Every structure is written in structure tokens, then in C-alpha cells.
Amino acid sequence: MKGIILAGGNGTRLQPLSLVRSKQLAPVYDKPMIYYPLSMLMLAGISDVLIISRPAELPLFHKLFGDGGRLGMSIVYAGQDEPRGIADAFLVGADHIQGEDNALILGDNLFHGANLPSLLRRSAARLNGCVLFGHQVADPEQFGVAEVDEDGKLVAIEEKPAEPRSNLAIPGLYFFDGGVVDVAKRLAPSPRGELEITDVLRAYMDEGRADLMWLGRGVTWLDTGTHESLLEAGLFVRDVQRRQGTRIGCVEEIAMHMGFISPDDCYRLGTEMAASPYGRYLMDCARFYKRLPASARATEDW
């Protein structure tokens, strides 16, 4: 399965912060924002990822990740010169997808939850068209909203409805089969001039090939696209990490756990940042991981 992170857009809600750099490179507590969506793809077992951003900012992402080899991954890049909607990611990334199953995640979405890794892997394994997710929110009018029938079957999708028929928002994480590129090619721009992801989802829903997976109460979903939500996300990450002693979105640790790199590789990456608490954490993780029995390393919901 291929992965796509859409890290484009002008970040107008985060100006003036976003005037000088991509918002996906803004810090969310102790790491760049893009670490968090990348970590979700990795936890789903995806090691082949395309990052889409404004052309002028691609060198910054490349400086951060290179070709992905340090993480045991393949990371490539593509430019989107202007925002044309979320679904435009499938057109920009058509050569990357190459007809394969794929996952798209927005670069400003942060997820955290104990059962999330196994949920992602089950979603990828059961893919028959597309899988989208639902999360209960207090202000559904701000999001795409899913409506389900009494059996939990998806029956309607609305984009920021004035009068939502449910409080089940659709986060910026989706799984699709390789046919999504052809679906995106058939779309007409919406009244706001963009190719809407909700139109892609409706196309699959009309064919009976859209599955809704409910993110449980134990999953936190944060959109970090405003100053207030960016601050809230940073405080959330700080508090969870302080209480649990582990780090959210630590891509090097996840790469080690997923078998993309070895514990020795993880330790080496830590030594390169040994002056920071983050680097020392990686070194500690690598030492601890090497002492674990094989059965403990394979925990599904790590």
C-alpha cells in the first residue's frame, strides 16, 4: 500500500506563522507537525510515502526526511503550485499510486489512541473500495459529516452542513483502492473551485464500496490548522508524554517497532541528536527494545 501526505495549501488560518514556512513544519510541542501524520501511515504498515507541498517548500521537507532511507522507507516529493482541493492529491500523486491501494492523510491532522494501530491495519486489510473514519465532535458543522442508518451503514456525506444530521465528523485520513485516480479525474470543481474529497467518498458510497470505521472514545483527533488548535495539540502531546513517559509521533521509534530499521539504527539516529531529550529518548528506546523478547515486540496495539 502506498501513502500520501497532503502538506500543501497556503495555511491562511495560521498567518503570519505560515508566511515564511509550511504550516506542516510548525512545531507541535517537540517535533514538526508532519511527524504525526507520517507516524499514522507507518503504523498502518506503509513504508512508501509521497509528500505533496508547495514547490518552494519541498526542499525543506527533503532536508528533514531525505529519501526516507534513514527510516527504512521510501519518501518522494511532488509539488502542488496552488490549492486545488484534497482530491487533487490523487492527480498529483497518480504516478506514485500506480493503481495500488493507498492511504491519504492530511498534514495537519493528529491522531492518538491505544487501539489505533490495529484499527489502521484492519482498515487496510478489509479495503474494498474505500475506508473512511468517523469521530464524534461537538461542532460537526465545521467538518465533513457522515450519516449512518440503524445498522451503522453509511448513507450520506455532507460537507460542512448548516444543519448537520449527525455529529460524526470525517477526519482527514482515508484508505482507497487504486481506482481512486480515475474517480478524481472525473470530478468537476465545486463552487469554491476545488476538487472535493467528499465527492470522491460519495462516488464510492454510491457504488456501495465505502466503509465507515468509527474511531472510538479512546482515540483523540486534533486538527492543528489554527493558532488555538496548534497550541492545544502541543499541550496535549506534552501532557501525554509527561504522564506516560513515551512519545507521540516519534517516527524513528515507530520505524524500529515496525521493522523498517534495526534497534542499532535507531540508537545511531538518537546519537545524532544526543544533545536533545528527543535524541536521548531514542537511545533509551533502542536499548530497551533490544532487551525485549520477540513476543513483546509484536504487540499489535503498540
Side-chain angles (χ1 to χ4, degrees), residues 23-92:
K23 68 178 180 180
Q24 286 84 9
L25 292 172
V28 178
Y29 188 52
D30 60 348
K31 59 191 78 72
M33 184 189 297
I34 197 170
Y35 272 43
Y36 300 94
L38 177 61
S39 71
M40 288 296 99
L41 297 181
M42 296 169 70
L43 287 170
I46 298 171
S47 60
D48 193 348
V49 174
L50 168 69
I51 296 175
I52 299 174
S53 188
R54 292 183 290 188
E57 291 162 344
L58 291 178
L60 299 176
F61 288 103
H62 191 274
K63 182 178 181 180
L64 186 62
F65 296 121
D67 63 1
R70 288 161 57 86
L71 296 174
M73 303 176 66
S74 170
I75 299 179
V76 294
Y77 307 87
Q80 186 187 49
D81 54 358
E82 61 181 36
R84 290 186 291 269
I86 295 173
D88 185 56
F90 303 116
L91 304 183
V92 176

Coordinates of all heavy atoms in Angstrom, one line a residue, residues 23-92:
K23 N 3.0 25.3 7.1 CA 2.4 25.0 8.5 C 2.8 23.6 9.0 O 2.9 23.4 10.2 CB 0.9 25.2 8.5 CG 0.1 24.2 7.7 CD -1.4 24.5 7.8 CE -2.2 23.5 7.0 NZ -3.7 23.7 7.2
Q24 N 3.0 22.7 8.0 CA 3.3 21.3 8.4 C 4.7 21.1 9.0 O 5.0 20.1 9.5 CB 3.0 20.3 7.3 CG 1.6 20.1 6.9 CD 1.0 21.1 6.0 OE1 1.7 22.0 5.5 NE2 -0.3 21.1 5.8
L25 N 5.5 22.2 8.9 CA 6.8 22.2 9.6 C 6.8 23.0 10.9 O 7.8 23.1 11.6 CB 7.8 22.8 8.6 CG 8.1 22.0 7.4 CD1 9.0 22.8 6.4 CD2 8.8 20.7 7.7
A26 N 5.6 23.5 11.3 CA 5.5 24.2 12.5 C 5.6 23.2 13.7 O 5.2 22.0 13.5 CB 4.2 24.9 12.6
P27 N 6.2 23.6 14.8 CA 6.3 22.6 15.9 C 5.0 22.3 16.6 O 4.2 23.2 16.9 CB 7.3 23.3 16.9 CG 7.1 24.8 16.6 CD 6.8 24.9 15.1
V28 N 4.8 21.0 16.8 CA 3.7 20.6 17.8 C 4.4 20.0 18.9 O 4.9 18.8 18.9 CB 2.8 19.6 17.1 CG1 1.7 19.1 18.1 CG2 2.1 20.2 15.9
Y29 N 4.7 20.8 19.9 CA 5.5 20.5 21.1 C 6.9 20.2 20.7 O 7.7 21.2 20.4 CB 4.9 19.4 22.0 CG 5.6 19.3 23.3 CD1 5.9 20.4 24.1 CD2 6.2 18.1 23.7 CE1 6.6 20.3 25.3 CE2 6.9 18.0 24.9 CZ 7.1 19.1 25.7 OH 7.8 19.0 26.9
D30 N 7.3 19.0 20.6 CA 8.8 18.7 20.4 C 9.2 18.2 19.0 O 10.3 17.7 18.9 CB 9.2 17.7 21.5 CG 8.4 16.4 21.4 OD1 7.4 16.3 20.7 OD2 8.9 15.4 22.0
K31 N 8.3 18.2 18.1 CA 8.6 17.7 16.7 C 7.7 18.4 15.7 O 6.7 19.0 16.0 CB 8.4 16.2 16.7 CG 7.0 15.7 17.0 CD 7.0 14.2 17.2 CE 7.5 13.8 18.6 NZ 6.6 14.1 19.7
P32 N 8.2 18.4 14.4 CA 7.4 19.1 13.4 C 6.1 18.4 13.2 O 5.9 17.2 13.4 CB 8.3 18.9 12.1 CG 9.7 18.6 12.6 CD 9.5 17.9 13.9
M33 N 5.1 19.2 12.8 CA 3.7 18.8 12.7 C 3.6 17.5 11.8 O 2.9 16.6 12.1 CB 2.9 19.9 12.1 CG 1.4 19.6 12.0 SD 0.5 20.9 11.0 CE 0.7 22.3 12.1
I34 N 4.4 17.5 10.7 CA 4.3 16.4 9.7 C 4.7 15.0 10.3 O 4.3 14.0 9.8 CB 5.1 16.7 8.5 CG1 4.6 15.8 7.3 CG2 6.6 16.6 8.7 CD1 5.2 16.2 6.0
Y35 N 5.5 15.0 11.4 CA 5.8 13.7 12.0 C 4.5 13.0 12.4 O 4.5 11.7 12.4 CB 6.6 14.0 13.3 CG 8.1 14.1 13.1 CD1 8.7 14.8 12.0 CD2 9.0 13.4 13.9 CE1 10.0 14.9 11.8 CE2 10.4 13.5 13.8 CZ 10.9 14.2 12.7 OH 12.2 14.3 12.5
Y36 N 3.5 13.6 12.8 CA 2.3 13.0 13.4 C 1.5 12.3 12.2 O 1.2 11.1 12.4 CB 1.4 14.0 14.1 CG 2.2 14.6 15.3 CD1 2.9 15.8 15.2 CD2 2.3 13.9 16.5 CE1 3.6 16.3 16.2 CE2 3.0 14.5 17.6 CZ 3.6 15.7 17.4 OH 4.4 16.2 18.5
P37 N 1.2 12.9 11.1 CA 0.6 12.1 10.0 C 1.5 11.0 9.5 O 1.0 9.9 9.1 CB 0.2 13.2 9.0 CG 1.0 14.4 9.3 CD 1.2 14.3 10.8
L38 N 2.8 11.3 9.3 CA 3.7 10.3 8.9 C 3.7 9.1 9.8 O 3.7 7.9 9.3 CB 5.1 10.8 8.7 CG 6.2 9.8 8.3 CD1 5.8 9.3 6.9 CD2 7.6 10.5 8.3
S39 N 3.6 9.3 11.1 CA 3.6 8.2 12.0 C 2.4 7.3 11.8 O 2.4 6.1 12.0 CB 3.7 8.7 13.4 OG 2.5 9.3 13.9
M40 N 1.2 7.9 11.5 CA 0.0 7.1 11.2 C 0.2 6.2 10.0 O -0.3 5.0 10.1 CB -1.2 8.1 11.0 CG -1.7 8.8 12.2 SD -2.3 7.7 13.5 CE -0.9 7.5 14.6
L41 N 0.7 6.7 9.0 CA 1.0 5.8 7.8 C 1.9 4.7 8.2 O 1.7 3.5 7.8 CB 1.5 6.6 6.7 CG 0.6 7.8 6.1 CD1 1.3 8.5 4.9 CD2 -0.7 7.2 5.6
M42 N 2.9 5.0 8.9 CA 3.9 4.0 9.3 C 3.2 2.9 10.2 O 3.5 1.7 10.0 CB 5.1 4.6 10.1 CG 5.9 5.6 9.2 SD 7.1 6.6 10.1 CE 8.3 5.3 10.6
L43 N 2.4 3.3 11.1 CA 1.7 2.4 12.0 C 0.7 1.5 11.2 O 0.4 0.4 11.6 CB 1.0 3.1 13.1 CG 1.9 3.7 14.2 CD1 1.1 4.6 15.1 CD2 2.5 2.6 15.0
A44 N 0.3 2.0 10.0 CA -0.6 1.2 9.2 C 0.3 0.2 8.3 O -0.3 -0.6 7.6 CB -1.4 2.1 8.2
G45 N 1.6 0.2 8.5 CA 2.5 -0.7 7.8 C 3.0 -0.1 6.4 O 3.5 -0.9 5.6
I46 N 2.8 1.2 6.2 CA 3.1 1.8 4.9 C 4.6 2.4 5.0 O 4.9 3.2 5.9 CB 2.1 2.9 4.6 CG1 0.7 2.3 4.4 CG2 2.6 3.6 3.3 CD1 -0.4 3.3 4.3
S47 N 5.4 2.0 4.1 CA 6.8 2.5 4.1 C 7.1 3.2 2.8 O 8.3 3.6 2.6 CB 7.8 1.3 4.3 OG 7.6 0.4 3.2
D48 N 6.2 3.4 1.9 CA 6.4 4.1 0.6 C 5.5 5.3 0.6 O 4.2 5.1 0.4 CB 6.1 3.1 -0.5 CG 6.5 3.6 -1.9 OD1 6.9 4.8 -2.0 OD2 6.5 2.8 -2.9
V49 N 6.0 6.5 0.7 CA 5.2 7.7 1.0 C 5.6 8.8 0.1 O 6.7 9.0 -0.2 CB 5.4 8.1 2.5 CG1 4.7 9.5 2.7 CG2 4.9 7.1 3.4
L50 N 4.5 9.5 -0.4 CA 4.7 10.7 -1.2 C 4.2 11.9 -0.3 O 3.2 11.9 0.3 CB 3.8 10.6 -2.4 CG 3.6 11.9 -3.2 CD1 4.9 12.4 -3.9 CD2 2.5 11.8 -4.2
I51 N 5.1 12.9 -0.3 CA 4.7 14.2 0.4 C 4.4 15.2 -0.7 O 5.3 15.5 -1.5 CB 5.8 14.7 1.3 CG1 6.0 13.7 2.5 CG2 5.5 16.0 1.9 CD1 7.2 14.0 3.4
I52 N 3.2 15.8 -0.6 CA 2.8 16.9 -1.6 C 2.8 18.2 -0.8 O 2.2 18.3 0.2 CB 1.4 16.6 -2.2 CG1 1.4 15.2 -2.9 CG2 1.0 17.7 -3.1 CD1 0.1 14.8 -3.4
S53 N 3.5 19.2 -1.4 CA 3.6 20.5 -0.8 C 3.8 21.6 -1.8 O 3.9 21.2 -3.0 CB 4.6 20.6 0.3 OG 4.6 21.8 1.0
R54 N 3.8 22.8 -1.4 CA 4.2 23.9 -2.4 C 5.6 23.7 -2.8 O 6.5 23.4 -2.1 CB 4.0 25.2 -1.7 CG 2.5 25.6 -1.3 CD 2.4 27.0 -0.7 NE 2.9 27.1 0.6 CZ 2.8 28.1 1.4 NH1 2.1 29.2 1.0 NH2 3.3 28.1 2.6
P55 N 5.8 23.9 -4.1 CA 7.2 23.7 -4.7 C 8.3 24.3 -3.9 O 9.4 23.7 -3.7 CB 7.1 24.2 -6.1 CG 5.6 24.1 -6.5 CD 4.9 24.3 -5.2
A56 N 8.1 25.6 -3.5 CA 9.2 26.3 -2.8 C 9.5 25.6 -1.4 O 10.6 25.9 -0.9 CB 8.7 27.7 -2.5
E57 N 8.6 24.8 -0.9 CA 8.9 24.2 0.4 C 9.3 22.8 0.4 O 9.7 22.2 1.4 CB 7.6 24.4 1.3 CG 7.3 25.8 1.7 CD 5.9 26.1 2.1 OE1 5.0 25.2 1.8 OE2 5.6 27.1 2.7
L58 N 9.3 22.2 -0.8 CA 9.7 20.8 -0.9 C 11.2 20.6 -0.5 O 11.5 19.6 0.2 CB 9.6 20.3 -2.4 CG 8.1 20.2 -2.9 CD1 8.1 19.8 -4.3 CD2 7.4 19.2 -2.0
P59 N 12.1 21.5 -0.7 CA 13.5 21.3 -0.2 C 13.6 21.2 1.3 O 14.4 20.5 1.8 CB 14.3 22.6 -0.7 CG 13.5 23.0 -1.9 CD 12.1 22.7 -1.6
L60 N 12.7 21.9 2.0 CA 12.7 21.8 3.5 C 12.2 20.5 3.9 O 12.8 19.9 4.9 CB 11.7 22.9 4.0 CG 12.1 24.4 3.7 CD1 11.1 25.3 4.2 CD2 13.5 24.7 4.3
F61 N 11.2 19.9 3.3 CA 10.8 18.5 3.6 C 11.9 17.5 3.3 O 12.1 16.6 4.0 CB 9.5 18.2 2.9 CG 8.3 18.9 3.5 CD1 7.7 20.0 2.8 CD2 7.7 18.5 4.7 CE1 6.6 20.7 3.3 CE2 6.6 19.2 5.2 CZ 6.1 20.3 4.5
H62 N 12.5 17.8 2.2 CA 13.6 16.8 1.8 C 14.8 16.9 2.7 O 15.4 15.9 3.1 CB 14.1 17.2 0.3 CG 15.0 16.1 -0.2 ND1 16.4 16.1 0.0 CD2 14.7 15.1 -1.0 CE1 16.9 15.1 -0.6 NE2 15.9 14.4 -1.3
K63 N 15.0 18.1 3.3 CA 16.1 18.3 4.3 C 15.8 17.5 5.5 O 16.6 16.9 6.2 CB 16.3 19.7 4.6 CG 17.4 20.0 5.6 CD 17.6 21.5 5.8 CE 18.8 21.7 6.8 NZ 19.0 23.2 7.0
L64 N 14.5 17.4 5.8 CA 14.0 16.8 7.1 C 14.1 15.2 6.9 O 14.5 14.5 7.8 CB 12.6 17.2 7.4 CG 12.0 16.7 8.7 CD1 12.7 17.2 9.9 CD2 10.5 17.2 8.8
F65 N 13.6 14.7 5.8 CA 13.5 13.3 5.6 C 14.4 12.7 4.6 O 14.6 11.4 4.6 CB 12.1 12.9 5.2 CG 11.0 13.3 6.3 CD1 10.0 14.1 6.0 CD2 11.1 12.7 7.5 CE1 9.0 14.4 7.0 CE2 10.2 13.0 8.5 CZ 9.1 13.9 8.2
G66 N 15.0 13.5 3.7 CA 15.8 12.9 2.6 C 14.9 12.0 1.7 O 13.7 12.2 1.5
D67 N 15.5 10.8 1.4 CA 14.8 9.9 0.6 C 14.1 8.8 1.4 O 13.5 7.8 0.9 CB 15.7 9.1 -0.4 CG 16.8 8.3 0.3 OD1 16.8 8.3 1.5 OD2 17.6 7.7 -0.4
G68 N 14.1 9.1 2.8 CA 13.4 8.1 3.7 C 14.3 7.0 4.1 O 13.9 6.2 5.0
G69 N 15.5 6.8 3.6 CA 16.3 5.7 3.9 C 16.7 5.6 5.3 O 16.8 4.5 5.8
R70 N 16.9 6.7 6.0 CA 17.2 6.7 7.4 C 16.2 6.0 8.3 O 16.4 5.5 9.3 CB 17.5 8.1 7.9 CG 18.8 8.7 7.4 CD 18.7 10.2 7.5 NE 18.5 10.7 8.9 CZ 19.4 10.9 9.8 NH1 20.7 10.6 9.5 NH2 19.1 11.3 11.0
L71 N 14.9 6.0 7.8 CA 13.8 5.4 8.5 C 13.4 4.1 7.9 O 12.4 3.5 8.2 CB 12.6 6.3 8.4 CG 12.7 7.7 9.1 CD1 11.5 8.5 8.9 CD2 12.9 7.5 10.6
G72 N 14.3 3.6 6.9 CA 13.9 2.3 6.3 C 12.7 2.5 5.3 O 12.1 1.5 5.1
M73 N 12.5 3.7 4.8 CA 11.4 3.9 4.0 C 11.8 4.5 2.6 O 13.0 4.8 2.4 CB 10.4 4.9 4.7 CG 10.0 4.5 6.1 SD 9.0 5.8 6.9 CE 7.5 5.8 5.8
S74 N 10.8 4.7 1.7 CA 11.0 5.4 0.5 C 10.1 6.6 0.6 O 8.8 6.5 0.8 CB 10.6 4.6 -0.7 OG 10.6 5.4 -1.9
I75 N 10.6 7.8 0.6 CA 9.9 9.1 0.7 C 10.2 9.9 -0.5 O 11.4 10.2 -0.8 CB 10.1 9.9 2.0 CG1 9.8 9.0 3.2 CG2 9.4 11.2 2.0 CD1 10.0 9.7 4.5
V76 N 9.2 10.2 -1.3 CA 9.3 11.0 -2.5 C 8.5 12.3 -2.4 O 7.6 12.4 -1.5 CB 9.0 10.2 -3.8 CG1 10.0 9.1 -4.0 CG2 7.6 9.7 -3.7
Y77 N 8.6 13.2 -3.3 CA 8.0 14.5 -3.1 C 7.4 15.0 -4.5 O 7.9 14.6 -5.6 CB 9.1 15.5 -2.7 CG 9.8 15.1 -1.4 CD1 10.9 14.3 -1.5 CD2 9.4 15.4 -0.2 CE1 11.6 13.9 -0.4 CE2 10.0 15.0 1.0 CZ 11.2 14.2 0.8 OH 11.8 13.8 1.9
A78 N 6.3 15.8 -4.4 CA 5.7 16.3 -5.5 C 5.1 17.7 -5.2 O 4.7 17.9 -4.1 CB 4.6 15.4 -6.1
G79 N 5.2 18.6 -6.1 CA 4.7 20.0 -5.9 C 3.3 20.2 -6.3 O 2.8 19.6 -7.3
Q80 N 2.6 21.0 -5.5 CA 1.2 21.5 -5.8 C 1.3 23.0 -5.8 O 1.4 23.6 -4.7 CB 0.2 20.9 -4.8 CG -1.2 21.2 -5.1 CD -2.2 20.8 -4.0 OE1 -1.9 21.1 -2.9 NE2 -3.2 20.1 -4.4
D81 N 1.3 23.6 -7.0 CA 1.6 25.0 -7.0 C 0.5 25.9 -6.4 O 0.8 27.0 -6.0 CB 1.9 25.5 -8.5 CG 0.7 25.1 -9.4 OD1 -0.3 24.5 -9.0 OD2 0.9 25.4 -10.6
E82 N -0.7 25.4 -6.3 CA -1.8 26.2 -5.7 C -2.8 25.2 -5.1 O -2.9 24.1 -5.7 CB -2.4 27.2 -6.6 CG -3.1 26.5 -7.8 CD -3.7 27.6 -8.7 OE1 -3.1 28.6 -8.9 OE2 -4.8 27.3 -9.3
P83 N -3.5 25.5 -4.1 CA -4.5 24.6 -3.5 C -5.7 24.4 -4.5 O -6.3 25.3 -5.0 CB -5.1 25.4 -2.3 CG -4.0 26.4 -2.0 CD -3.4 26.8 -3.3
R84 N -5.9 23.1 -4.8 CA -7.0 22.7 -5.7 C -7.9 21.7 -5.1 O -8.6 21.0 -5.8 CB -6.4 22.2 -7.1 CG -5.7 23.3 -7.9 CD -5.3 22.8 -9.3 NE -4.2 21.8 -9.1 CZ -2.9 22.2 -9.2 NH1 -2.6 23.5 -9.3 NH2 -2.0 21.3 -9.0
G85 N -7.9 21.6 -3.8 CA -8.7 20.6 -3.1 C -8.0 19.4 -2.7 O -7.0 19.0 -3.3
I86 N -8.5 18.7 -1.7 CA -7.9 17.5 -1.2 C -7.8 16.4 -2.3 O -6.8 15.7 -2.4 CB -8.7 17.0 0.0 CG1 -8.6 18.0 1.2 CG2 -8.1 15.6 0.5 CD1 -9.4 17.6 2.4
A87 N -8.9 16.3 -3.1 CA -8.9 15.2 -4.1 C -7.8 15.4 -5.2 O -7.5 14.5 -5.9 CB -10.3 15.1 -4.7
D88 N -7.3 16.6 -5.3 CA -6.3 16.9 -6.3 C -5.0 16.1 -5.9 O -4.2 15.8 -6.8 CB -5.9 18.4 -6.3 CG -4.9 18.7 -7.4 OD1 -5.2 18.4 -8.6 OD2 -3.9 19.3 -7.1
A89 N -4.9 15.7 -4.7 CA -3.7 14.8 -4.3 C -3.6 13.6 -5.1 O -2.5 13.1 -5.4 CB -3.8 14.5 -2.8
F90 N -4.8 13.0 -5.5 CA -4.7 11.8 -6.3 C -4.2 12.0 -7.8 O -3.6 11.1 -8.4 CB -6.1 11.1 -6.3 CG -6.6 10.9 -5.0 CD1 -7.8 11.5 -4.5 CD2 -6.0 10.0 -4.1 CE1 -8.3 11.2 -3.2 CE2 -6.5 9.7 -2.9 CZ -7.6 10.3 -2.4
L91 N -4.5 13.2 -8.3 CA -4.0 13.6 -9.6 C -2.5 13.9 -9.5 O -1.7 13.4 -10.4 CB -4.7 14.8 -10.1 CG -6.3 14.6 -10.2 CD1 -6.9 15.8 -10.9 CD2 -6.7 13.3 -11.0
V92 N -2.1 14.6 -8.5 CA -0.7 14.9 -8.3 C 0.1 13.6 -8.1 O 1.2 13.5 -8.5 CB -0.4 15.9 -7.2 CG1 1.0 16.2 -6.9 CG2 -1.1 17.3 -7.5

